[in-house]
Amino acid sequence: GIQVEQSPPDLILQEGANSTLRCNFSDSVNNLQWFHQNPWGQLINLFYIPSGTKQNGRLSATTVATERYSLLYISSSQTTDSGVYFCAVEYSSASKIIFGSGTRLSIRP
Amino acid sequence: EPEVTQTPSHQVTQMGQEVILRCVPISNHLYFYWYRQILGQKVEFLVSFYNNEISEKSEIFDDQFSVERPDGSNFTLKIRSTKLEDSAMYFCASSEVSLGIAGSTDTQYFGPGTRLTVL
């Protein structure tokens, strides 16, 4: 089946820093989403981005479908950005989503 | 903005007991899903459901699990005889349409999850 790899697994930054999270996938996908899992375990959808670039405030994402990767950019990090960021892809006609292992981001004040 | 809701937020049960996790998908959505996340691990697909039938299920979704849409609004996941290893966060999701054609699939909206603890 499709493999979804995220890097880095862990990232510790000072408040105000910028970061780039990467998601590689091993096959063509119909759909790609980025999620933030907050400390309470809730999954918050950040972007639905099968291709192209989208921006929402301090966050932006780019997916290059032909090269099978997506990037999530976080600028001017805040402590509330801490949590685990998951990339998830959908590749089959039955709509199953496959999640990566996540990047755990810790923002220090 | 419409959202997927799940109840309860936390369920504690004894090993061997039956549990039912409830979800209310977004009202005009037709596709429903359950996922689970064991603590510290990745989110895993369990089952998808459309037109009152299971569309796809993973190897995790064995005979102990069942899903149902008992009425026009609820979507439930039942675990018949819980095991310790069933302890996890269970997420429900729904989407409006999923044609399975490249570029035609829709976003899956996730509920906040139910944390199941089996003692």
Side-chain angles (χ1 to χ4, degrees), chain A residues 4 29-31 33 35 37 39-43 45 48 86 90 92-102 104, chain B residues 31 33 35 37 41-43 45 48 55-56 89 91 98-103 105-108 110-112 115:
Chain A
V4 182
V29 298
N30 294 339
N31 165 358
Q33 296 186 65
F35 292 90
Q37 187 166 41
W40 296 271
Q42 296 174 326
L43 283 174
N45 179 273
Y48 162 61
F86 289 102
E90 179 181 322
S92 77
S93 60
S95 312
K96 178 169 60 178
I97 283 186
I98 304 297
F99 282 74
S101 298
R104 181 172 298 278
Chain B
Y31 288 80
Y33 315 85
Y35 295 80
Q37 183 185 31
Q41 298 185 22
K42 66 170 75 173
V43 179
F45 169 80
S48 59
S55 304
E56 186 173 358
M89 191 79 151
F91 293 100
S98 182
L99 304 178
I101 300 168
T105 54
D106 201 356
T107 302
Q108 290 189 21
F110 280 72
R115 185 170 298 283

Side-chain angles (χ1 to χ4, degrees), chain B residues 34-50:
Chain B
W34 283 101
Y35 295 80
R36 82 167 185 194
Q37 183 185 31
I38 294 171
L39 186 64
Q41 298 185 22
K42 66 170 75 173
V43 179
E44 302 172 288
F45 169 80
L46 289 178
V47 66
S48 59
F49 190 86
Y50 169 70

Side-chain angles (χ1 to χ4, degrees), chain B residues 12 17 24 30 35 49 52 78 84 92 105 109 116:
Chain B
V12 181
Q17 295 296 304
V24 179
L30 301 176
Y35 295 80
F49 190 86
N52 285 318
K78 182 192 291 186
L84 295 176
C92 172
T105 54
Y109 292 85
L116 176 65

Side-chain angles (χ1 to χ4, degrees), chain A residues 36-98:
Chain A
H36 175 214
Q37 187 166 41
N38 64 22
W40 296 271
Q42 296 174 326
L43 283 174
I44 312 298
N45 179 273
L46 298 175
F47 293 103
Y48 162 61
I49 186 165
S51 63
T53 297
K54 289 186 178 179
Q55 179 151 10
N56 184 5
R58 296 182 294 105
L59 274 61
S60 63
T62 295
T63 297
V64 184
T66 53
E67 297 189 20
R68 300 182 183 168
Y69 73 89
S70 183
L71 302 174
L72 177 69
Y73 305 96
I74 305 174
S75 63
S76 305
S77 301
Q78 300 174 0
T79 55
T80 51
D81 294 330
S82 296
V84 182
Y85 289 81
F86 289 102
C87 162
V89 302
E90 179 181 322
Y91 71 103
S92 77
S93 60
S95 312
K96 178 169 60 178
I97 283 186
I98 304 297

Side-chain angles (χ1 to χ4, degrees), chain B residues 10-26:
Chain B
H10 192 185
Q11 172 95 41
V12 181
T13 189
Q14 295 290 326
M15 189 170 57
Q17 295 296 304
E18 174 184 287
V19 295
I20 297 176
L21 309 183
R22 302 181 192 281
C23 168
V24 179
I26 294 173

